[in-house]
Structure formats: structure tokens, C-alpha cells
Amino acid sequence: MHSLIKPHNLTATLMGKTGDALLWLLAALHVTALAILLMTLLSLSEAEAAGQQITCTGSDILVDMRKTDPQAFAKIEQEASAIPNGKGNFWRIEKAGTEPSYLLGTMHVTDPRVLEMPAAATPAFEKAATVIVESDEIVDDKKVATSLLSKPELTMFLDGKSITDILSPENVARLEKGLKERGIPLNAVSRMKPWMLSSFVALPACEFARKATGLSFLDKKLAEDALADGKRLVGLETMVEQLTAMSELPMEFHLQALIETLELGDRMDDVMKTMTDLYVAGDIGMTMPMLKSLDPKKAVAENEQGYAAFEQRIITDRNHVMAERATPELAKGNVFMAVGALHLPGEEGVIELLRAEGFTLTRVE
């Protein structure tokens, strides 16, 4: 057995930064394909046992920071205020000659607070003729299976290698424990690539437990309700496109993210709670500044590069794809569009990209 990252360097690595692990939690919350894979895994797992107790832990990091380090909190607020369209997760889309459409930023989780959409979103959804989501494959298990089977190299080791061949024995034990807490046996996923496993153990056990009871995450629920109501459902990306974006980041980055996630343990629950609180409050623009603030200063330069690469491939590149593919549908009017909330803000966020296409977007309070 060997390790691509030597065990004796782990303590120093974790003291140096937590960025990779936090990025993977971010990815798990904002890539539909990962949410679907989680649900698929639960069909192989001890879902009944996982669903017996649904208790979420964790505390809001920013609540504590506001009291103990007001300067750091103020810096996050200042950085967030400079991000275009960083406030709000529900927007009206208008263009002369068409009925208004609406854009909802989502989190791909089953938290009851997330599933309870903004008050104005429900009537907008009910009236819409067309519903746009990141991927329309989420409502069809056969499509999901076909996507996974068509490109197995994106998610699996195909050379006989297992994650147990790569990690140290200590981290294999941590991985097994973390997966077990989420109702997933290690032997069912041991040949999955590190970035997949990072996404699984980054999410808190309570999220798996809720999914094990049959709850759909917000985007999937909207897609299912759209079809049940006879609406037209449109997907902006395929599962393969999403998985390709995730897999294209370097293997060393993947491994580092997995190791950091395992070492951080319950601290990830705090980050999850903070991100959810920001989402519910509509403070989307604070998410990335908050995550960056958790990295020690001595690794700022290295982490800035990591965040920049992540933002470009997982968020910005996909923003352009989403806006381009949504434009013809939005031009028809009366559309309800739902995509991950982090795709909305920023100079190259979906909101600004749609404005560049001639639409008027206004935040709905």
C-alpha cells in the first residue's frame, strides 16, 4: 500500500489550509450531478439505518465571528458588498413583448428551510409554462444510469486501483467511518475517484439521512412537480458535462480535498450550517468571502490560486453555458428557472450574463 501524499505531512498540511475541503463542500451543494449521485448511492446503502435519526449539528461560523472578531466579519461584509448581485436568490426576468420569467437560486439539499422557497416563488412556479433546471436528467433514473455508464472514467478507477491503495491506513479508517455515518459501505464506493468521495463525506450525515427517507432536494422537487403539472421541463447541462467539469481539476487537488475533509470532521458541519444560513438570508455574495476567510493567512496566495481555478471551471465556465442555453427559452417568456445560487452573483454570473442578452433582471424581495 502506498500514499500519494505522505502521512507525515498531513498535520502540517491541515494547519496550512482547509481550502480544498471547503471547495468540495461548495461543489457538493451546487452541482446537481453530485446530489443525484448521493441519492443513487443511498439505494446501495444502509438507508434505513441512516434515516432513523435526522439531527443536524453545527453552528454558524459568522455568528461567532461577529462577536469574537468583528474586524474579520466586517472584511467579509465589505468584500461581499463589492460582488454584483450578491444579495437575493429570487429574481424577475423581463423583456419587451414577453411575459415575465423568474430565476431562483437553489441549494441542492433537502434542508426544510431551503425547500421552503421565497413566498413569491410559489405563484411564479405555478404560473410558468416552462421550468428550466440544471439537468432534466434528474427526474429519470435511467438517464442518470446511462450518463454514468457512458463515461465511467469520470467517476471510477478503471485500472483496478482502489482508494485504499492511495490513502494511508489511518485515512482509510477515517473514510470508512465517515461513509458509515452516512449509510454508505466503503466496499460499495472504494473504486470511486477521490473527488467523488470528498463530495460524499463533505456533506453532513443529516443530509444523507433526510435523502434516505425519500426527500428530494429542491431542484429535483421542482423538476418532478413541473412534469406532474404538465409543464415543459428543460435542462441546461447534461450529467456528463457536470461530471467532466468536476473531474478536470488535478488529481492532487482531489486527493488533498479528500484528506482535508476527513481530517476536518465535524467542522464541516459548521461550514454547512453557515452556508445554509447565508442562503436562507439571501446573502449569496458572502459565501465565497466566508470560505476564504477560514484559511490561515500564511497560505493566502496558494489558496487564492485554488479558489480561482475552482471558480473558473466549476462556476464561471458553467455560468456562460447556462446563460447561453437559457436565453432562447427565456425569450419566449413565462419561464421559471432554477440553478445553484452561486451561479447568480458576480460580473460573470448568470444575472449579468442574461442582462447582456437584453433581459432586465430585478431582485424580488
Side-chain angles (χ1 to χ4, degrees):
M1 181 178 295
H2 63 281
S3 172
L4 298 185
I5 298 180
K6 296 180 181 180
H8 69 267
N9 288 331
L10 293 183
T11 300
T13 298
L14 291 179
M15 290 177 65
K17 66 190 183 74
T18 60
D20 295 348
L22 300 182
L23 288 178
W24 282 114
L25 176 57
L26 195 66
L29 296 179
H30 292 280
V31 178
T32 308
L34 292 178
I36 288 294
L37 286 170
L38 296 181
M39 300 189 77
T40 302
L41 275 178
L42 283 173
S43 66
L44 303 173
S45 71
E46 301 167 4
E48 184 176 352
Q52 288 177 355
Q53 182 178 359
I54 305 179
T55 302
C56 294
T57 59
S59 59
D60 190 319
I61 294 166
L62 293 179
V63 171
D64 182 63
M65 184 184 295
R66 189 198 295 261
K67 298 175 183 177
T68 61
D69 194 347
Q71 287 186 329
F73 183 81
K75 184 178 179 182
I76 292 173
E77 283 193 312
Q78 182 179 16
E79 186 176 343
S81 68
I83 298 174
N85 314 308
K87 290 284 291 185
N89 52 28
F90 189 52
W91 297 73
R92 182 186 300 109
I93 305 174
E94 297 172 293
K95 198 169 193 178
T98 62
E99 288 188 71
S101 295
Y102 292 87
L103 171 62
L104 176 68
T106 68
M107 286 180 72
H108 308 324
V109 296
T110 58
D111 189 304
R113 296 182 300 158
V114 173
L115 294 178
E116 186 177 349
M117 296 188 297
T122 298
F125 177 82
E126 291 175 349
K127 183 179 182 297
T130 299
V131 171
I132 296 176
V133 292
E134 288 184 23
S135 174
D136 59 356
E137 297 173 20
I138 59 179
V139 296
D140 190 330
D141 291 342
K142 289 184 179 179
K143 279 189 176 181
V144 173
T146 299
S147 292
L148 294 176
L149 291 172
S150 69
K151 294 283 186 177
E153 68 275 10
L154 296 179
T155 58
M156 307 286 289
F157 288 118
L158 302 182
D159 57 1
K161 187 182 295 181
S162 166
I163 195 64
T164 58
D165 299 322
I166 298 175
L167 294 178
S168 68
E170 182 181 21
N171 280 313
V172 169
R174 288 192 178 99
L175 176 60
E176 186 168 23
K177 179 178 180 292
L179 290 171
K180 186 176 181 180
E181 290 172 353
R182 290 155 178 78
I184 302 173
L186 175 59
N187 59 9
V189 296
S190 63
R191 296 194 182 278
M192 284 190 170
K193 289 189 174 178
W195 71 266
M196 292 283 294
L197 299 173
S198 298
S199 303
F200 299 151
V201 294
L203 285 176
C206 65
E207 176 65 18
F208 283 77
R210 284 193 297 253
K211 283 185 169 71
T213 67
L215 283 178
S216 293
F217 59 95
L218 180 56
D219 307 65
K220 189 171 190 291
K221 184 178 186 303
L222 289 172
E224 291 167 342
D225 289 348
L227 292 180
D229 293 344
K231 302 179 187 295
R232 182 164 167 261
L233 182 65
V234 175
L236 299 176
E237 301 174 299
T238 66
M239 291 287 181
V240 167
E241 287 175 324
Q242 290 193 343
L243 294 175
T244 298
M246 295 294 289
S247 67
E248 283 180 348
L249 294 172
M251 175 64 76
E252 189 168 323
F253 182 89
H254 297 168
L255 284 169
Q256 187 63 52
L258 177 56
I259 291 171
E260 288 178 8
T261 302
L262 295 172
E263 294 279 359
L264 285 169
D266 292 342
R267 187 186 180 197
M268 297 300 283
D269 290 352
D270 295 338
V271 180
M272 175 71 169
K273 175 72 162 64
T274 308
M275 291 175 64
T276 306
D277 286 353
L278 288 175
Y279 172 81
V280 172
D283 291 325
I284 310 304
M286 289 186 69
T287 304
M288 289 302 286
M290 179 274 295
L291 291 178
K292 292 177 183 179
S293 76
L294 302 180
D295 295 336
K297 293 180 181 178
K298 63 180 179 181
V300 166
E302 182 180 355
N303 285 330
E304 285 291 346
Q305 292 178 352
Y307 279 107
F310 175 87
E311 284 188 277
Q312 183 65 45
R313 189 65 190 96
I314 306 302
I315 299 177
T316 305
D317 288 353
R318 295 175 59 223
N319 291 348
H320 284 270
V321 170
M322 291 180 184
E324 180 181 347
R325 294 177 181 176
T327 293
E329 298 297 334
L330 294 171
K332 301 172 187 176
N334 197 23
V335 170
F336 189 95
M337 177 176 170
V339 298
L342 285 188
H343 294 290
L344 272 55
E347 295 179 358
E348 291 185 82
V350 168
I351 291 171
E352 287 301 317
L353 294 175
L354 290 177
R355 283 174 175 158
E357 294 293 334
F359 297 99
T360 298
L361 280 84
T362 308
R363 179 159 57 97
V364 180
E365 300 290 346

